[in-house]
């Protein structure tokens, strides 16, 4: 059994969160840092800590205390371009909660961390009261990502079916009740064993 502590990120967590995110875009996505797509990673405080309707969660390894997973939510809907126009229109900014940066270091995957953090993000979005929908997109080339999101939500557009394959991205609508929040509420959940 491995213990993790999930909490709302504070300034002391930002360097660790940024490291998880940058490692993911370089290793898993193979794109590296692309300012147009990853600008939020550089200034996490401005993107997620300052706006009251946004949040960033981190999971800390109970044994070492280091950030091993991240999950964020903001009120920016998907932009067109690069996303299809109908997706941008279905999930407008301000009333759509977008799940972002749900990243888990490879050695900590398959332990329920992403699902647990998404549950807390959905509870945050529901408590806000101003969000009408929850949206996310994923790169199906990332191991395990598409399966997780299919288990939690509905595919609203799969770009692989577009002429030319689009960006190869899969877009999802996630119900507010897709998963139950962890028993200990954020901002500072207590450690819990996750096998």
């Amino acid at each position: 059994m491995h213990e993790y502590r999930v909490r709302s990120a504070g300034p002391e967590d930002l360097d660790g969160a940024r490291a998880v995110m940058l490692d993911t875009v370089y290793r898993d996505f193979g794109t590296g840092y692309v300012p147009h797509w990853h600008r939020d990673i550089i200034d996490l405080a401005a993107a997620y800590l300052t706006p009251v309707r946004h949040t960033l969660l981190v999971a800390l390894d109970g044994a070492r205390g280091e950030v091993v997973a991240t999950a964020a939510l903001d009120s920016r809907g998907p932009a067109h371009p690069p996303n299809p126009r109908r997706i941008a229109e279905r999930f407008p900014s301000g009333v759509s909660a977008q799940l972002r940066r749900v990243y888990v270091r490879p050695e900590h995957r398959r332990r329920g961390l992403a699902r647990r953090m998404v549950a807390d993000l959905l509870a945050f979005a529901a408590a806000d009261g101003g969000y009408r929908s929850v949206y996310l997109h994923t790169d199906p080339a990332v191991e395990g990502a598409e399966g997780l999101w299919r288990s939690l939500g509905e595919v609203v557009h799969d770009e692989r079916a577009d002429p030319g394959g689009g960006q190869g991205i899969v877009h999802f609508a996630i119900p507010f009740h897709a998963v139950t929040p962890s028993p200990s509420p954020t901002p500072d959940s207590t450690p819990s064993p996750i096998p």
Side-chain angles (χ1 to χ4, degrees), residues 6-102:
V6 174
R7 69 179 185 202
S8 293
E12 69 279 7
D13 300 311
L14 298 184
D15 288 341
R18 188 175 300 105
V20 168
M21 293 175 188
L22 288 173
D23 286 350
T24 301
V25 300
Y26 279 91
R27 181 192 56 244
D28 292 339
F29 298 162
T31 61
Y33 174 76
V34 178
H36 182 71
W37 298 336
H38 307 125
R39 182 174 299 119
D40 60 304
I41 294 174
I42 299 306
D43 193 353
L44 292 170
Y48 302 111
L49 301 191
T50 303
V52 295
R53 298 185 70 215
H54 298 189
T55 192
L56 171 63
L57 303 179
V58 293
L60 305 174
D61 180 318
R64 299 175 59 191
E66 67 184 14
V67 175
V68 297
T70 62
L73 177 147
D74 69 28
S75 61
R76 294 177 292 136
H80 169 75
N83 298 293
R85 180 182 306 280
R86 70 181 189 87
I87 296 298
E89 290 170 352
R90 179 172 175 173
F91 300 100
S93 291
V95 295
S96 301
Q98 185 167 180
L99 304 182
R100 296 182 180 269
R101 312 293 175 224
V102 181

